[in-house]
Amino acid sequence: MSPRTLPRLEDGARARPSRIALLALLCVLALGSAWTPVGASEPADPAPAATSAPRRPRWSEESRALAEAIPIQAGGRVKPLITYAGYTLLALNGRKSLKVVEDGEELSLTPTEWLLDVLFFPDVAAHYRVFLVTDDATLDAIGFTREMREKAAKADYEREGAGHATRKKRDRWSFADLSPAFRGLDEQARVASRVASRERSRTQQAVLELYQNVALYSQLEGSMLLARGRLEVPEALRSRFSGAAQVPFSAVAGELEELLATLPAHALGHGEQASLSPEQQAAGRMLYDLQQLSGGEEGLALLPPPPGATDGTWHNPYRLVAGAAAHDGSVPPESLALLGGFERVGDALGKPAATLDALRALHDALVAAAQARGEYRKVPLEVTYQRLDPVRWSWVLSMVGLAFALLGLLSLRGGFGRVFRPLAWLMTGSAAAMLVTGIVMRCIIRDRPPVSTLYETVLFISATGMLACFVMEALSRRWLALPVAAVIGTLGLQLAQWFEGLNKQDTMPTLEAVLDTNFWLSTHVTTVTFGYAAGLLAAIVGQVYVLGRVLGIGKQAHETYAAIGRTVYGVVCFGLLLSIVGTILGGIWANDSWGRFWGWDPKENGALMIVLWELIALHARLGGYVGPFGFSMLAIAGGAVVSWSWWGVNQLGVGLHSYGFTEGIQTMLNSIYGWIGAVLALGLGWRLLSGRKRAGGG
Amino acid sequence: MIARLLERVLRVLGSFALCIGLLAVLFLLTGFGTLEQRYASIYDVQRKYFESLFLTEIQITAGGPIPVLLPGGYVVLTALAINLLIGGVVRVRKSAPALALAAATVTLLVLVLPRLDAVGLFVVGGLVTALLLVLTGWVWPRRDWARLGVLVTHGGILVLLAAGLVEFHFSTKGTLALAEQEVGGVYQRAGDEFQAYYEWDVILAEHLEGGGVREHILPFERFEDLGPGQSARFESAALPFDVRVSGFARNCLVVQEPSGGVDGLALRRLDPDREKAEVNTPGMLLTLIEKGAGAPTQRALLHAEQAYPWRVEVATGGSRRTFDADLRRRRWAVPFTLKLDDFTAAYYPGTNRPKEFSSRVTKLEDGSTEPVLISMNQPLRHKGYTFFQSSFEPPRRVELPDGRVVNTPWVSIFSVVRNPADAWPLTACGIILVGLSVMMLRKLGGYVRAEARRRAA
C-alpha cells in the first residue's frame, strides 16, 4: 500500500460542493487508470535500506522568515505558517523543534524549516525522526516488530553516521522507518476507530493517534506536489499547449474548462475507453495527472479565494480544481497566478538566490491576496508573537528571578542583599512585563479579552498572581511577596508550556458559538479567573506561614507571622469577592444563553465550591474557631478546591482528547492534592505536638 | 422565661457554628452532586441533591451507592437563608434607622431594578446601593463601614436565595421547535405554545356533544415517583369513573407479549438516560375503575411514543361519553405567536465548528407584527417569556406518518422560559459587589495604613 493513499477513516460530516467534482474526477481517474503519471515525482522509496542520505540545501534565514509569514487558513482562521508549522510539529514530535542529523552533525530545525523540507524535499524529510511514539507496545500492535525496529534503527544510524544504533521504549521514528508497518497501522486504526472512545484501550488510542499523525504527514507531503512535478502533454494535445511536451500544473488548470469540454458527457460516467478519440483519451489522461498532482482534499489551504468569492473557505490545489470542475470548469486567473508562484519556488529549489526571490514573490502575492480579503491584518503580529515566544522567556526570567530572590532572602541583612534584591526585582519584573506583553499581543491578535481558553487562564492567573505579589511587596517590604511572585511565574509558566505540549493544539483556537461573546468573556471569565488566582495565591502564602512555623524559621518574628496571617486573610477576602461576583455573573450569562441561572453542572459547581470554601474559612475565623494558623491551613486546603474546580471538573466529562491528555492532567492534580495533603498533615501534626508541649511546659 | 428561650433559639439559629455547618454540608452536597453526574443525568442529580429534603445514599464511584445521611439541598438552603437573616442581618443591627434604611435599600432594589435591562440593572443596582450606603453612613453610629458592608452583602445573598426559591417553585421551562417550511402537518413555522422537557401529563380529552373538547389532566407530579409496584388513584366528580396509574416507568419501550400483557403488549423498563433526562420515553398502565365499588373496567398501556391516543367509550345513565387518553409532554400557552422566517447556521471556514446560529422570527401579537433576531447570547424577552436559540436540525430525508418520503426543512429549536425571578440574580450580584467592596476596601485601607506605620516606626 502506498503511504500517500492512507484512507480517511471518519469523513462523514464534511460534505462540500466539491463532492460532485470529486466524483467526476474519479470517473476520469477510472478511465485513465491504465496510465501512470510520468511527470509527478513519486514519493521517496520508503525502504529503509542504508543508502547515502538524500541532500537538501539549507534554508537561508531570509527564506525562512518569508515562509514563516505566509498566511494559511487552518482550524477555521487565517494564521501565519509559523503557527501552523509549530503546532503540527508539536502534534507529531511532542515539541516545537526537530533534531536531525546532517553530514554527521546534529541540527535543530525550526517548525517552518521542517515544514518546508516536508513540502519541497519529501525524500529528505521522510527520514526525519518526527513521529513520537511514547510506548513501543503501540509499534508491536501495528506489526512493527522488535526485529524490524532494530533493523530500521541500525539503517538510520549507518546512514546518518551519528546518534544511536538502538531506540528506546519511548522514541521517535521517521516516516520511512514506519512505512513497512503502514498496512498494520491502517488495519489496527480501523479496529480502534470502531471502539467507542470511552472503551478504547491505551494502545488502541495510541494507534489511532499515530494513524492520524501519519495521515496528516502524508497530506502535508502531498500538498506541494504541483511545485515539484510537471504534467506530460500527450501528442494529441500539444497544439493546445504551444507544442510543449511538459507543462506546469497551473497551465493545465487554466485549460480545465476546455479539457472537460473535450470529453463526451458519457465518458465522465463510464469508462468506455475504446470509443474515445485519441484527443479525448489524451484529455482524460491529463485530467488524471492533474488530479494526482493536486495533492488531495485535505492539503494545506494556502490559496485565498479569488475576489468576489462568497464562501470564506480557502482553497488548496485540489479543492480549487475540483470546485471549478463542479461548476463551469474555469479556474479564476488570480488563483492560477498564485499556483504559478508555488511552481516557480519549485523550479528554483537548489539555487539559494533564486529560491529566495521566488519565495519573496510568492509571499508577496499570497499576502496581497489575503490583504485584499482583509484577512492579513493580524498575521504579522502573530509572527512576532511566535518568534518572540513570550511565555518561554517569561518562564526563564522567572526562574532567574527566583534564584536571585532566594539569594536575597538568605542575605537579608548581609551586604550582598543590596546586589541580589534589585536583580531579583529586575528579573521577576521583566518576567511579568514579558508575560503581560504576551497576553496583550494575544488579545490584539484575536480581538478577545485576555481569557477565552483554559491555556489562557494559566497565563492570566500567573500574571495577576505576580502583579498582586509586587503590590504586596511594595506595601510590606518584607521580602516575602517577591520570592512568591517568582515562584508563581516559574510554576505557572511551566504549567502553561506543559499544558500546551499535552494539548498539542493552537492555543488561539476559534471559539464555540456560545463562547463567542466578548462581553461575557471579559466580565465573567476574567472575574472568575481572578478568583482562581486569589485562591491559589492564598494557598501559597498560607504555605509560607504554615511551613515557616513548622520548620521553625524566624521563631521570634511574631510580628512578621502576624502580617503573613493578615495577608492570607486579605487575599481570601478578595478571592471571595471575585469568586462570588464571577460565579453569579456566570449564572447570569447562562441565564442569557440557556435560560437558566444555575444548572448544577460541574463547572458551575466547582466555582460554587470555591465560594463555599472561602465562606467557611472566613466565618470560621470570624466566629473564633480558627486563628491565623488554622486559617492558613484552610486557605491551603482551598488550593485543592481551586485546583479541582480549575482542572479537575473537566476530567469528569467524556470523550476527552486522549489518554495522554487525561492521564497527564490527573497526574498533575494528584501531585497537587498529594502536596497539599502532606503540608496539611505536617501542619496538623506540628500543631498537635507543639500544643502538647506547651501544655506540658506551661 | 419564654423570651430567654426564644433568645437562645435565635442565638443558635443565627450562630457561626450553624452557618459553618450548613456551608460545609452544602459544600459536600455540591461535591458529591458533581461526582455523581458521571453516573446519572443532571436532572436526576438536581432532584436528588439540590431539590430534596434528605439524602440517603450517594453514588460517586463505579462501585455502587454508599449510604449516607445528609439534609438535602432544599433544607440546607432554607436553613442557610434563616441563619443568614438572623445572624447576618438582624444581629448586626446597631440602630433602628440604619436597619430601616438598609432594608429599604434591598426592597427598593428588588422592586425597582427588575424593570431595567441587563447592564443598566447591574450598574444602577450598584450605584443605588452605594448611594444609600453613604446616606446610611450618616445615621450609623460610629460609621462602621465594615458592618454596613456585611449587612448589604448578606442582603444580596438573601435576594439570590429568594431568586432560587421563586425559580424553583414558579418558573416553567420548555422548548419550541419551528421549521422554515410547513411540511405535512408535522413541521410548523409558527407556534404559540411550548412543551416541557421533563413533565409528561396524562390527558383525558372528552369529546363534548356539541363538538369541542374538555381536557381532564392527570399531572405528572402525582405519578412521577411511583415505583414498579406502586399505583396512584385519581378521582374527579367531572368523570364517570376513577383512574388508576400503575407500572409507571420513566423510560421504557413497548414490546410484544403474546402470553398475557395488555392486548398482547407490555412495557420493558430501560435505565433512564445517563446524560439527558429529556430523551427518556415514559410509559404506564392506565386503568379505569368504577366509582365507589372500585372494580376495574377497562385498561390500556400508554407510552410516550404511541401514535394515537387510547379511545374509550363509557355508557353512563343512558348516554355515551367518549374520551381520548394520551400521555404527552406538558404544554404552556404563550400570549403571542412566533413565526420563523429564516434560520442561519454559520461555520468557521473549512471546519465543522459552528460560529454562530441565529433565527429571524416575526412576533405576531394583537394583529401587529415585529421582526426579531434571536441568536446565541441574544434571547427574545417579552411579557415575562424568554426565547433562547438552543439548537437546530439540518434537513434530512424522512418518512411521514402518511407514508410520503420528504426532505425535512431546517428546524430551529428554542428554549422557552418563564421565570418571575429572571432578573433578581443580577440585582443580587450588584448588591453583593457593593457590599463586599465596601468591606474589602476598608480592610485594605487598614492594612496599608498599618504597614505604613510599621515602616515609619
Side-chain angles (χ1 to χ4, degrees):
Chain A
M1 191 181 112
S2 155
R4 171 97 3 98
T5 55
L6 267 175
R8 292 172 47 79
L9 286 180
E10 290 146 299
D11 196 19
R14 284 175 182 251
R16 290 216 185 77
S18 62
R19 277 273 172 232
I20 319 155
L22 174 71
L23 255 180
L25 278 172
L26 280 180
C27 295
V28 175
L29 186 149
L31 174 129
S33 57
W35 304 301
T36 44
V38 217
S41 72
E42 272 297 290
D45 174 18
T51 52
S52 66
R55 304 294 304 266
R56 53 118 205 178
R58 293 191 188 165
W59 299 94
S60 70
E61 197 67 30
E62 293 144 294
S63 349
R64 200 184 76 201
L66 282 169
E68 282 174 346
I70 287 178
I72 178 175
Q73 188 182 63
R77 72 181 183 99
V78 175
K79 54 181 93 166
L81 205 59
I82 185 174
T83 305
Y84 178 81
Y87 287 103
T88 308
L89 187 57
L90 185 63
L92 266 49
N93 192 40
R95 55 179 175 229
K96 281 189 182 177
S97 62
L98 178 70
K99 282 207 186 84
V100 299
V101 180
E102 209 167 76
D103 305 330
E105 179 196 351
E106 278 214 354
L107 293 178
S108 179
L109 297 187
T110 67
T112 310
E113 285 173 322
W114 164 75
L115 184 62
L116 287 174
D117 285 349
V118 174
L119 294 176
F120 292 108
F121 298 100
D123 303 1
V124 183
H127 290 287
Y128 292 162
R129 288 160 49 188
V130 73
F131 295 99
L132 174 65
V133 178
T134 50
D135 183 349
D136 58 13
T138 314
L139 299 175
D140 289 333
I142 63 168
F144 192 44
T145 58
R146 177 173 291 275
E147 294 72 46
M148 289 160 80
R149 298 203 290 269
E150 279 168 3
K151 201 173 133 209
K154 194 154 164 278
D156 281 345
Y157 176 68
E158 281 167 11
R159 192 184 53 251
E160 290 167 355
H164 302 280
T166 54
R167 302 276 170 91
K168 294 186 286 285
K169 189 175 164 62
R170 175 189 191 278
D171 215 325
R172 293 178 168 81
W173 301 85
S174 73
F175 191 71
D177 288 337
L178 294 175
S179 61
F182 281 162
R183 187 181 293 278
L185 177 61
D186 183 50
E187 281 163 11
Q188 292 308 309
R190 276 169 196 281
V191 172
S193 71
R194 282 190 220 109
V195 181
S197 59
R198 258 185 172 178
E199 270 118 52
R200 261 175 225 147
S201 74
R202 202 173 176 28
T203 305
Q204 281 175 327
Q205 186 65 33
V207 166
L208 262 186
E209 273 170 37
L210 182 60
Y211 175 89
Q212 280 154 3
N213 285 343
V214 169
L216 173 63
Y217 184 94
S218 36
Q219 283 154 15
L220 289 181
E221 202 193 36
S223 281
M224 223 26 83
L225 277 177
L226 67 94
R228 311 197 306 264
R230 288 287 175 276
L231 285 92
E232 181 144 313
V233 187
E235 285 289 341
L237 287 175
R238 288 217 175 139
S239 60
R240 199 179 288 241
F241 294 97
S242 348
Q246 288 200 339
V247 287
F249 183 90
S250 58
V252 185
E255 297 290 317
L256 182 64
E257 195 173 355
E258 285 74 21
L259 289 174
L260 284 172
T262 311
L263 289 171
H266 70 265
L268 294 173
H270 312 279
E272 294 172 43
Q273 224 167 314
S275 65
L276 298 179
S277 71
E279 199 192 358
Q280 287 171 333
Q281 287 196 22
R285 174 177 175 171
M286 288 208 80
L287 287 173
Y288 173 74
D289 288 357
L290 187 72
Q291 194 247 4
Q292 287 293 92
L293 278 193
S294 70
E297 193 173 0
E298 298 301 316
L300 298 181
L302 284 163
L303 301 169
T310 48
D311 186 7
T313 308
W314 284 31
H315 296 303
N316 55 39
Y318 176 90
R319 291 208 291 260
L320 181 71
V321 170
H327 291 97
D328 57 357
S330 67
V331 179
E334 296 88 352
S335 304
L336 288 178
L338 293 178
L339 288 178
F342 286 105
E343 288 161 354
R344 277 188 287 284
V345 176
D347 292 340
L349 292 176
K351 293 163 275 183
T355 308
L356 182 60
D357 288 342
L359 256 179
R360 179 169 291 127
L362 175 67
H363 165 270
D364 293 351
L366 290 170
V367 167
Q371 261 166 349
R373 295 179 49 80
E375 291 183 305
Y376 192 75
R377 220 157 40 87
K378 304 292 178 62
V379 172
L381 184 62
E382 190 169 346
V383 174
T384 312
Y385 178 86
Q386 297 290 354
R387 285 188 189 144
L388 183 65
D389 205 350
V391 172
R392 184 168 190 84
W393 279 109
S394 181
W395 175 62
V396 171
L397 287 167
S398 294
M399 285 193 296
V400 179
L402 181 60
F404 283 125
L406 291 178
L407 288 171
L409 203 60
L410 290 178
S411 53
L412 211 49
R413 299 191 199 292
F416 282 118
R418 275 202 299 271
V419 183
F420 292 135
R421 265 174 274 170
L423 279 172
W425 264 111
L426 182 70
M427 290 300 160
T428 320
S430 316
M434 183 64 100
L435 185 56
V436 170
T437 309
I439 291 174
V440 170
M441 286 170 87
R442 296 175 67 94
C443 293
I444 298 172
I445 293 169
R446 298 293 293 129
D447 273 330
R448 293 248 173 257
V451 185
S452 58
T453 63
L454 192 52
Y455 175 78
E456 285 173 334
T457 60
V458 185
L459 303 188
F460 191 73
I461 285 175
S462 308
T464 48
M466 289 173 88
L467 294 178
C469 286
F470 292 161
V471 173
M472 288 196 301
E473 185 61 50
L475 289 175
S476 69
R477 308 274 171 82
R478 289 172 201 274
W479 206 250
L480 283 170
L482 195 78
V484 170
V487 168
I488 291 173
T490 307
L491 290 180
L493 299 173
Q494 173 79 52
L495 174 67
Q497 295 177 74
W498 173 82
F499 176 71
E500 186 185 25
L502 209 55
N503 198 31
K504 297 175 184 166
Q505 281 164 11
D506 188 355
T507 59
M508 292 186 264
T510 51
L511 295 180
E512 295 289 344
V514 73
L515 295 178
D516 195 6
T517 146
N518 282 348
F519 177 74
W520 290 115
L521 282 176
S522 55
T523 51
H524 158 67
V525 178
T526 312
T527 321
V528 158
T529 312
F530 267 128
Y532 288 167
L536 291 173
L537 183 59
I540 294 175
V541 183
Q543 289 180 47
V544 172
Y545 187 98
V546 169
L547 290 178
R549 292 290 295 272
V550 170
L551 302 176
I553 299 167
K555 276 182 188 165
Q556 303 311 315
H558 298 299
E559 199 272 334
T560 303
Y561 275 110
I564 301 175
R566 275 200 307 277
T567 308
V568 180
Y569 172 64
V571 176
V572 171
C573 284
F574 271 95
L576 176 67
L577 169 68
L578 296 162
S579 297
I580 211 166
V581 170
T583 306
I584 300 176
L585 283 174
I588 294 164
W589 181 10
N591 196 29
D592 262 15
S593 300
W594 297 288
R596 93 276 188 291
F597 171 73
W598 195 258
W600 300 104
D601 85 24
K603 205 71 190 172
E604 291 173 337
N605 288 355
L608 176 64
M609 285 170 76
I610 297 178
V611 171
L612 289 174
W613 187 260
E614 287 173 347
L615 283 175
I616 290 172
L618 289 172
H619 285 89
R621 184 180 182 276
L622 273 172
Y625 296 99
V626 293
F629 188 88
F631 189 80
S632 297
M633 296 278 280
L634 287 174
I636 296 170
V641 179
V642 173
S643 308
W644 191 72
S645 174
W646 188 14
W647 295 94
V649 292
N650 302 345
Q651 299 290 99
L652 299 176
V654 288
L656 279 168
H657 315 287
S658 68
Y659 274 84
F661 189 78
T662 317
E663 279 174 8
I665 288 180
Q666 199 56 52
T667 310
M668 173 196 82
L669 277 174
N670 288 343
S671 26
I672 291 176
Y673 300 152
W675 169 261
I676 286 178
V679 173
L680 289 178
L682 204 63
L684 206 63
W686 177 81
R687 191 68 176 178
L688 290 175
L689 284 177
S690 69
R692 195 171 300 151
K693 231 184 281 166
R694 267 208 300 274
Chain B
M1 184 65 201
I2 290 173
R4 273 178 77 180
L5 193 69
L6 190 69
E7 202 193 315
R8 265 197 124 135
V9 170
L10 280 181
R11 194 174 297 156
V12 172
L13 284 179
S15 66
F16 276 118
L18 183 65
C19 164
I20 294 166
L22 289 171
L23 288 171
V25 173
L26 190 55
F27 182 84
L28 288 179
L29 284 178
T30 313
F32 294 150
T34 310
L35 293 173
E36 184 152 340
Q37 287 182 26
R38 278 186 293 184
Y39 307 102
S41 74
I42 213 164
Y43 173 80
D44 291 321
V45 167
Q46 205 165 324
R47 277 174 51 106
K48 176 173 168 183
Y49 282 85
F50 305 115
E51 298 170 0
S52 57
L53 299 179
F54 284 94
L55 184 71
T56 51
E57 47 120 279
I58 56 176
Q59 180 167 17
I60 53 172
T61 62
I66 304 162
V68 294
L69 186 60
L70 283 173
Y74 196 97
V75 171
V76 173
L77 287 172
T78 310
L80 204 54
I82 294 168
N83 172 256
L84 212 145
L85 194 66
I86 296 172
V89 179
V90 178
R91 271 221 316 217
V92 294
R93 88 168 181 274
K94 278 285 189 273
S95 83
L99 186 68
L101 254 175
T105 312
V106 174
T107 319
L108 192 81
L109 287 169
V110 171
L111 290 180
V112 173
L113 293 181
R115 292 169 209 291
L116 296 169
D117 83 318
V119 182
L121 198 76
F122 187 75
V123 175
V124 174
L127 285 178
V128 170
T129 316
L131 186 72
L132 278 166
L133 263 179
V134 173
L135 287 177
T136 320
W138 294 109
V139 296
W140 192 271
R142 296 185 294 122
R143 302 210 187 135
D144 190 344
W145 289 101
R147 192 153 284 181
L148 257 175
V150 171
L151 191 67
V152 171
T153 308
H154 284 151
I157 303 270
L158 274 177
V159 173
L160 199 62
L161 288 171
L165 192 72
V166 170
E167 183 181 4
F168 178 59
H169 284 292
F170 302 108
S171 71
T172 47
K173 288 174 193 187
T175 176
L176 169 67
L178 297 178
E180 274 191 344
Q181 283 105 33
E182 305 263 345
V183 176
V186 178
Y187 293 95
Q188 263 143 26
R189 283 185 66 190
D192 60 357
E193 59 176 18
F194 60 103
Q195 64 175 16
Y197 288 112
Y198 311 113
E199 293 93 343
W200 293 78
D201 297 326
V202 174
I203 310 292
L204 290 168
E206 180 176 3
H207 295 267
L208 301 176
E209 296 240 341
V213 170
R214 183 198 295 153
E215 291 193 339
H216 309 267
I217 295 172
L218 279 49
F220 185 62
E221 289 75 10
R222 293 275 309 276
F223 55 80
E224 63 171 326
D225 289 324
L226 292 181
Q230 293 173 312
S231 66
R233 184 164 169 172
F234 297 80
E235 299 171 21
S236 163
L239 289 174
F241 45 76
D242 290 346
V243 183
R244 186 167 67 207
V245 170
S246 57
F248 176 73
R250 286 184 57 200
N251 196 18
C252 60
L253 287 175
V254 180
V255 291
Q256 304 274 350
E257 181 82 31
S259 57
V262 181
D263 304 329
L265 298 174
L267 297 176
R268 189 195 317 145
R269 284 174 185 272
L270 303 173
D271 284 336
D273 192 85
R274 268 191 184 186
E275 275 156 37
K276 290 180 173 172
E278 60 264 36
V279 302
N280 291 335
T281 51
M284 60 173 66
L285 176 63
L286 197 71
T287 313
L288 304 189
I289 306 169
E290 253 177 56
K291 274 198 177 297
T297 55
Q298 306 187 54
R299 57 182 198 154
L301 294 178
L302 289 187
H303 187 255
E305 291 186 329
Q306 74 190 54
Y308 304 100
W310 174 43
R311 172 67 58 94
V312 219
E313 302 204 329
V314 188
T316 48
S319 69
R320 296 187 72 78
R321 293 171 71 180
T322 308
F323 295 89
D324 281 339
D326 199 6
L327 177 64
R328 65 163 203 226
R329 290 183 194 268
R330 183 170 296 170
R331 292 176 193 173
W332 294 278
V334 182
F336 51 92
T337 303
L338 283 192
K339 181 160 156 278
L340 181 65
D341 299 318
D342 183 32
F343 173 78
T344 322
Y347 292 86
Y348 287 104
T351 67
N352 299 320
R353 187 181 274 250
K355 188 179 192 321
E356 197 193 6
F357 28 112
S358 60
S359 300
R360 281 198 297 110
V361 296
T362 305
K363 179 160 67 70
L364 306 152
E365 189 179 18
D366 305 330
S368 68
T369 62
E370 187 193 328
V372 187
L373 182 77
I374 302 177
S375 65
M376 277 283 173
N377 299 317
Q378 196 193 332
L380 160 69
R381 294 178 196 278
H382 186 61
K383 287 202 165 165
Y385 293 85
T386 316
F387 292 78
F388 307 88
Q389 181 74 63
S390 101
S391 180
F392 66 92
E393 277 173 19
R396 64 203 156 96
R397 285 188 81 72
V398 294
E399 193 180 335
L400 294 179
D402 60 14
R404 282 182 300 146
V405 176
V406 293
N407 276 328
T408 67
W410 281 93
V411 177
S412 179
I413 300 172
F414 304 96
S415 307
V416 189
V417 177
R418 186 176 192 208
N419 176 16
D422 188 39
W424 295 15
L426 204 53
T427 312
C429 190
I431 298 174
I432 292 168
L433 180 63
V434 171
L436 279 178
S437 301
V438 169
M439 282 160 69
M440 303 295 156
L441 288 177
R442 209 196 137 275
K443 283 200 196 313
L444 185 65
Y447 172 78
V448 172
R449 276 196 299 275
E451 288 295 338
R453 268 202 303 278
R454 180 183 67 83
R455 285 211 306 277

